[in-house]
Structures are given as C-alpha cells and as structure tokens.
C-alpha cells in the first residue's frame, strides 16, 4: 500500500510539473510580443526557404535562411541542434505549419527535420520558426510510474520494493574480473566489482573529473561481454553520446536511439536511423519514398487548376498511404535492429515502448542525480537490475513547479538510494583527472570530506604550460578570485528575462578574457560562464569571438575547459545571493576548469554567506585574492 501511495503521489507531482512548464511557455507567449520573442531567441521571422531535401531515414529537411540585419545577436543564437521547433510556412501552404527538430543550426541558417511529410503545397512568402516544448516525455513518465506502481511478481516489482526500503537488496558472487580498461585506478576497479556483484542495484558516486562515465562503460562492457543485454541511459543527449563515444571500438553491437539531430555528428553512424538505412530491407522504404516524392512533384506541377477535386483527393490519399507504408516497414526494421543490439543507448525520455519493449539484463543510468524519480523509472521498468552513476553534490534536475519540488519531486531516486543501499553496494570515486590540485581542494573540502585526490598528471598543470602560451600572472596561477568590492559594479534586474545582470562585472570579465587570450590561450580552450541567463546574454552581446563558449553554469554541467572565467553577478548592499545559496551551483562552476579558474565577485556581498566566506578565505590562503582595480577599464 505504501508503494501505491508513493507512485500516486509522484503522478500528482508530475502533473503539477507538466502544468507549470506549460504555463511558463504560455506566459512567455502572452507576455512577450513577437519582437521580444525574437530578441530572446524564442522566435525567428523573415526566413526564406533555401531548399527541401531528405535526411537519414527519409526525413524531410527544410533549410531556412535570413540575411544579417545588423542585430547584436544572430537570429538563431538561442536555438540549438536537437531543439523542438514549430515551422510556420508561407501563406497559402498546405499544411500551414509543421513540428520538427533542428537538424543543423548556424548563425543565419538552419535546417529543420520535419516530423511528417514535406508540405503538399508551398505558398509564396516568408517563414517563421518558434521553439517548442513537448508532452511526449511526460506521457512516458506517467506510463512508467503506472507500470512500476502496478507491477506484481516481476523484476520491476522487486526493484520498487528495494527502492522504497521494503526489501533488502541482494548481492551475488562475481566471476574473476578481467578488466577491458586496464588503466582504471583502484577506486574505479572497486566500483566495477561492487556493481557487478549487485543482484538488484548499486550506486557509483562520481565527483567532478573522477571518471564515473568511464566506470559505467567498463561495467557495460563486462555485462555485455558476459552475454547480457544492456540499456544505457542518461537524462541528456550529450551524456548519452559520451557513453557511446567511449564504447566505440569495443566490438559490441551498439544502437543509439533518438533523433539524429540530437546525436553528435561524429557518432551518427551508430544512430538507429543510419543503421536502418544500411539494412537490406530499407530498399523497399526508399522506393516507396521515391514514388511518393514523384507524386508530390507531379501534383505541384499540375497545380490546383489542372486536376478536379476528386482527383486531388485521390492523389493526396495515395501520397499519405505511401508515407504510412514506408514508415511501417521502417518501424519493423528498427525493432529488429534494437532486438539484435547488445547495448541500446538513449535518453530516459527518448525511450518509446513502441520500439523498445524491455528485456534488458542491466540498466546503466548516467547523470542519475540530474533526473527526477519519475524520469528514472522510464528505463528502470525495462530491466532486471540497475547501476546508477551520479553526484548529488552537483546540480539537481530543473523543476518548474516549486510546489512540486517542495513536496518531493526535487528528491531524486539517486538521493533516496544513498540512504537505502548498504555500503558494499555504493562506491566513491576519489581520483580526479581534470583539475589542478588548488582548484580541486576547496570543492573536496566542502563537498567530499576532503577525500578527492588530484592525479599526478593534472595536480600541478597550469595554463602557462599549454603550447604557445606565455607565463603571466594569470596563466601561471591555477586560481584567481577577482574582488569587485568598492568598484561600484551594482547588479540590476532584467525585466524581460526576469534575471539578474551586472554590466560592470561583464566588462571586467571581458578584460580578463583579453589578458588570457593575449597570453596565447586559444578561444576554444576557454569558457565564460555565469549563474544568471541575463548575464550570459549580456556577455554574448558584448563579444563575439569564434570558438569561445559563453553559457550558464547549469548548462555547462558535465563539461570542462582549460580555462574558466566565472561571473557571479551579485553585488548589493543587502548581501543577498539569491539562488547562489544552493552551493551545488558553485561546486559545478568551480570544477569546470582544468588549469585556470577565475572567479569574479563582490566579497562584501557574497562574503555574508558562510560558504562564500570560506571560499574567500581559501583564495586568500592560496594567494589568489586580487582586486578588480588591478584591471582598470581603459
């Protein structure tokens, strides 16, 4: 009964979250006029259709472009490959609009893969593109929760009882371990052993740079090598691609689910769509699509006046029939390829039971601390046992409904299992391979009980040791805290974005960036990040350097750069730090840098918070506390 109540509660919270996200999207549409949506990057208008083509799996591709208009930001600046889109065709088109996915995105050109067939008729004029949300993932989460809650006398029921603390997890004797990756350190090897010994579930705690995905890949290879089928999932596409990239060359039969546009271009050969095209049975699909395209072109050539109403209707029915026949055959090929794969890779939300029926011996969940519990249950209902890899000291999943978060949606399954699974079924990775020891140490002390160890290959490396980089006061030191106290860089509220920004701090960040670039560090080796989206947009409007990445702290989780410059933004007399009080955000921000971390902030503001006061003391002890007056505006 307790289990049923738990899942009923999650269903209620999930519905609250779905409505909150929908209301946020509607609020933006109603609150912002078209010009504002364009400024925010939510909408692009005035687009010409350059061409209509065909991509992987016969998907229609529409390429759109617009000439530069002297704007501060290029029109597609906020849209990325893999985003959902609504494409509104020129007046007179049939249909008037169509949903799709961004396939390629440049500054002034974008290609969209349509979800349905190409337009039967294109009018004359310009197009519009809007960013879209989707309910598909919510539907899959609701289905997974219902499946888990109703499960009886199967593995899903066993996992449910263990994850609710009603049944103790089991361990089994493991065969002698022969590592595929012999470079694993002792902590990583122990994590692999413990996970392979788990009959039901195990956790891998992976602080930044400790190689949790590397461990997960070794577990996957061991399981698949023993004849087991593995489902490897994560909440984000980039995390799934990281697993896929590390599995390349393993000799395993791999298939990556999801839209090809959401897969890195270098890995698309393993995407299901590419594998379908290579299948001998795809020839029939290609023939059906080719015949359908000929009918579409013939209809366009005849025009409305050449055919009677009944003839046009019959032609349209034939075109639709050919589309359905091709897609049905394609779906059969997909299911056959998935069934024959040793390792299936997908985002949690991308798992459709129409294609993936389950039957996996092991479910490997990466970034498990960044997925809500309902999202985690989507892959869990498809497997016999599970291995979770994550870090609860980094940022949790984004939740729109604060009420749902407060009532329990913010508590991830990974968080709950920390307190449920016994010690032998949990592992902490301790050796990190990313950061200079000075960058690492503060994070280690505050979040990981001082247990992290910097590997000798990174413990003392600095930006000055990069090829072609000059040794300067910045590049020779691993850490610099630039204190803006007294500089008058007051924060401001951006009404449009409902976010905070700090112009003085942004300009200082760019001066520091110029110093690093002048020393010879390449733009592609640098990240400029901030916790507030308004500050990110401000920074992007102030500089355009090819290769330089500017983004939010949240968006940069899971990434790393040789040099990271962090603008904290907050500067006020009240000492308010807002959502910076979730210090996990600072943990993420500080641990993106490999060789040089520059943090910009006002000690008089942030120093009133105990965590930031400790950071300022740490910077002082390292000789890294400097004043913004050392880099005056010229």
């Amino acid at each position: 009964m307790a289990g049923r109540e738990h899942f009923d509660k999650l269903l209620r919270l999930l519905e609250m979250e779905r409505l909150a996200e929908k209301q946020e999207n509607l609020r933006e549409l109603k609150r912002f006029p078209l010009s504002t949506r364009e400024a925010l990057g939510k909408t692009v208008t005035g687009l010409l259709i350059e061409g209509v083509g065909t991509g992987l799996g016969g998907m229609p591709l529409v390429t759109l472009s617009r000439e530069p208009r002297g704007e501060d930001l290029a029109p597609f600046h906020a849209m990325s490959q893999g985003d959902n889109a609504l494409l509104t065709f020129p007046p007179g088109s049939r249909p008037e609009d169509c949903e799709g996915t961004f396939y390629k995105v440049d500054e002034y050109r974008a290609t969209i893969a349509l979800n349905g067939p190409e337009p039967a008729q294109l009018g004359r004029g310009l197009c519009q593109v809007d960013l879209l949300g989707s309910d598909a993932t919510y539907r899959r989460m609701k289905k997974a929760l219902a499946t888990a809650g109703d499960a009886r006398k199967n593995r899903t029921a066993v996992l449910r009882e263990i994850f609710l603390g009603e049944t103790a997890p089991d361990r089994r004797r493991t065969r002698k371990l022969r590592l595929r990756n012999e470079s694993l350190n002792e902590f990583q090897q122990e994590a692999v052993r413990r996970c392979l010994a788990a009959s039901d579930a195990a956790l891998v705690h992976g602080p930044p740079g400790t190689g949790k995905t590397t461990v997960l890949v070794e577990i996957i290879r061991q399981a698949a090598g023993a004849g087991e089928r593995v489902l490897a999932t994560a909440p984000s596409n980039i995390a799934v691609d990281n697993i896929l990239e590390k599995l390349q060359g393993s000799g395993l039969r791999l298939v990556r689910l999801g839209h090809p546009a959401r897969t890195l271009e270098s890995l698309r050969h393993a995407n299901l769509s590419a594998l379908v095209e290579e299948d001998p049975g795809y020839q029939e699909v290609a023939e059906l699509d080719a015949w359908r395209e000929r009918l579409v072109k013939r209809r366009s050539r005849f025009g409305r006046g050449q055919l009677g109403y009944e003839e046009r209707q019959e032609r349209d029915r034939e075109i639709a029939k050919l589309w359905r026949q091709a897609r049905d055959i394609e779906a059969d090929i997909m299911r056959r390829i998935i069934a024959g794969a040793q390792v299936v890779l997908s985002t949690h939300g991308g798992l459709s039971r129409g294609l993936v029926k389950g039957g996996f011996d092991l479910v490997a969940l990466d970034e498990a601390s960044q997925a809500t519990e309902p999202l985690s249950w989507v892959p869990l209902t498809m497997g016999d046992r599970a291995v979770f890899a994550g870090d609860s000291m980094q940022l949790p999943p984004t939740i729109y409904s604060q009420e749902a978060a407060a009532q329990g949606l913010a508590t991830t399954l990974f968080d709950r299992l920390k307190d449920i699974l016994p010690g032998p079924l949990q592992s902490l990775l301790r050796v990190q391979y990313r950061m200079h020891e000075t960058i690492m140490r503060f994070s280690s002390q505050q979040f990981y009980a001082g247990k992290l160890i910097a590997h000798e290959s990174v413990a003392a490396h600095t930006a000055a040791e990069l090829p072609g980089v000059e040794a300067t006061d910045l590049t020779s030191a691993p850490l610099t805290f630039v204190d803006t106290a007294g500089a008058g860089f007051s924060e401001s509220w951006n009404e449009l974005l409902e976010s905070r920004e700090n112009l003085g701090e942004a300009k200082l960040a760019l001066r520091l960036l110029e110093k690093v670039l002048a020393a010879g560090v390449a733009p592609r080796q640098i990240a400029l990040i901030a916790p507030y989206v308004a500050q990110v947009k401000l920074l992007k409007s102030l500089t355009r350097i090819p290769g330089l990445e500017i983004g939010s702290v949240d968006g940069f989780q899971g990434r790393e750069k040789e040099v990271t410059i962090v603008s904290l933004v907050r500067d006020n007399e009240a000492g308010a730090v807002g959502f910076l009080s979730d210090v996990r955000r600072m943990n993420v921000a500080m641990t993106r840098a490999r060789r040089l971390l520059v943090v910009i902030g006002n000690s008089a503001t942030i120093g009133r918070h105990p965590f930031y006061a400790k950071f300022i003391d740490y910077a002082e002890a390292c000789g890294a506390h400097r004043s913004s007056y050392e880099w005056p505006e010229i």
Side-chain angles (χ1 to χ4, degrees), residues 99-125:
E99 293 187 18
T101 304
F102 280 99
Y103 195 77
K104 287 184 179 179
V105 183
D106 296 319
E107 287 189 326
Y108 294 92
R109 178 179 286 101
T111 299
I112 296 176
L114 303 182
N115 291 349
E118 65 265 30
Q121 178 177 312
L122 273 177
R124 294 185 178 181

Side-chain angles (χ1 to χ4, degrees), residues 47 88-96 121-128:
L47 294 164
T88 303
F89 296 112
S93 299
R94 297 198 349 255
E96 296 179 352
Q121 178 177 312
L122 273 177
R124 294 185 178 181
L126 302 175
C127 299
Q128 176 174 317

Side-chain angles (χ1 to χ4, degrees), residues 500 532 570 575-582:
R500 299 187 186 277
Y532 292 93
R570 301 311 300 257
V577 296
F579 77 172
L580 289 186
S581 59
D582 185 343

